[in-house]
Amino acid sequence: GAVVSQHPSWVICKSGTSVKIECRSLDFQATTMFWYRQFPKQSLMLMATSNEGSKATYEQGVEKDKFLINHASLTLSTLTVTSAHPEDSSFYICSAQQGGGANVLTFGAGSRLTVL
Amino acid sequence: GNSVTQMEGPVTLSEEAFLTINCTYTATGYPSLFWYVQYPGEGLQLLLKATKADDKGSNKGFEATYRKETTSFHLEKGSVQVSDSAVYFCALSPYGGATNKLIFGTGTLLAVQP
């Protein structure tokens, strides 16, 4: 079946540094990828929708200059948390939607970010 | 607005016990409803779904019925196994079937003991 790989699965960084998280569709082309964030004991919240070759669409309240999303190819989207702070510590999950009219989402296993 | 509320975990059960995880929703229009499961170290996987009132989704012994009158989509299984231990997410799509704009609940951790 379809597989989405997310890397790294966990990362610890110092406050003020930037962190990049990759989301790859391994055996299918993903025209659209989604990025979610989950704080402890809270819901998964959609952060942004990225379409290959175009700018990401951010949900209300998500800072686009802080959470840079790049979807340069049909199999790779990246989320960069710039100048990370402790309040950015969270669980980040991506999902990929197959193209060709298929209405199926495949999720990555998530990336745990801890900012010290 | 649209939202999903599900029971807090963890839920701890013995093998072969009956499982219910409650989920209620608030939505405008006619949403589709989903249950996703996340096993340790893996991504969320679609477990079952229902797209209209009174529909019953089922898979792997799990069932959930779309109840419009009570705005609920409770997950049930008659006899759980250790392998069912995972986090279960209730979700809705406010666009009548499209899965791209999912709204999730907080997730419920299920731990099944032998």
Side-chain angles (χ1 to χ4, degrees):
Chain A
V3 176
V4 169
S5 172
Q6 216 174 310
H7 178 80
S9 55
W10 59 270
V11 57
I12 300 173
C13 70
K14 292 182 179 179
S15 186
T17 60
S18 295
V19 173
K20 181 186 286 187
I21 301 170
E22 294 187 346
C23 179
R24 292 180 184 273
S25 56
L26 297 186
D27 48 3
F28 66 98
Q29 293 184 331
T31 53
T32 305
M33 289 185 171
F34 304 91
W35 287 95
Y36 303 83
R37 177 171 57 184
Q38 185 180 29
F39 293 110
K41 298 192 177 181
Q42 295 186 28
S43 306
L44 257 69
M45 299 298 295
L46 180 65
M47 298 175 66
T49 302
S50 76
N51 294 296
E52 184 267 336
S54 62
K55 289 184 178 180
T57 303
Y58 290 81
E59 296 298 304
Q60 191 173 9
V62 178
E63 299 174 60
K64 62 180 181 180
D65 293 331
K66 181 165 187 64
F67 299 99
L68 301 179
I69 292 173
N70 184 283
H71 193 162
S73 77
L74 284 171
T75 59
L76 174 64
S77 176
T78 59
L79 167 68
T80 301
V81 183
T82 62
S83 186
H85 291 283
E87 57 265 30
D88 299 322
S89 299
S90 187
F91 193 54
Y92 294 88
I93 298 176
C94 72
S95 68
Q97 184 170 359
Q98 297 184 46
N103 206 12
V104 176
L105 281 182
T106 304
F107 285 80
S111 300
R112 173 77 59 191
L113 170 63
T114 300
V115 184
L116 302 177
Chain B
N2 300 304
S3 67
V4 174
T5 302
Q6 62 181 104
M7 62 191 290
E8 282 193 35
V11 173
T12 303
L13 295 173
S14 297
E15 208 164 21
E16 299 184 0
F18 184 86
L19 168 71
T20 300
I21 300 178
N22 291 336
C23 172
T24 56
Y25 68 89
T26 302
T28 53
Y30 303 95
S32 293
L33 302 173
F34 306 83
W35 276 101
Y36 280 82
V37 58
Q38 184 175 28
Y39 299 104
E42 300 183 16
L44 276 74
Q45 304 171 26
L46 178 63
L47 179 60
L48 52 85
K49 68 178 182 181
T51 57
K52 62 182 187 296
D54 299 325
D55 267 3
K56 177 186 285 188
S58 61
N59 185 23
K60 299 181 181 179
F62 291 88
E63 293 183 341
T65 301
Y66 188 142
R67 302 282 188 202
K68 195 171 188 296
E69 63 276 14
T70 55
T71 61
S72 65
F73 193 55
H74 303 322
L75 182 68
E76 297 182 336
K77 186 174 185 181
S79 176
V80 293
Q81 305 301 311
V82 173
S83 56
D84 293 325
S85 298
V87 180
Y88 292 82
F89 292 89
C90 185
L92 72 82
S93 167
Y95 298 101
T99 56
N100 50 358
K101 284 267 190 173
L102 288 172
I103 295 169
F104 287 90
T106 55
T108 301
L109 173 63
L110 170 65
V112 180
Q113 299 174 337

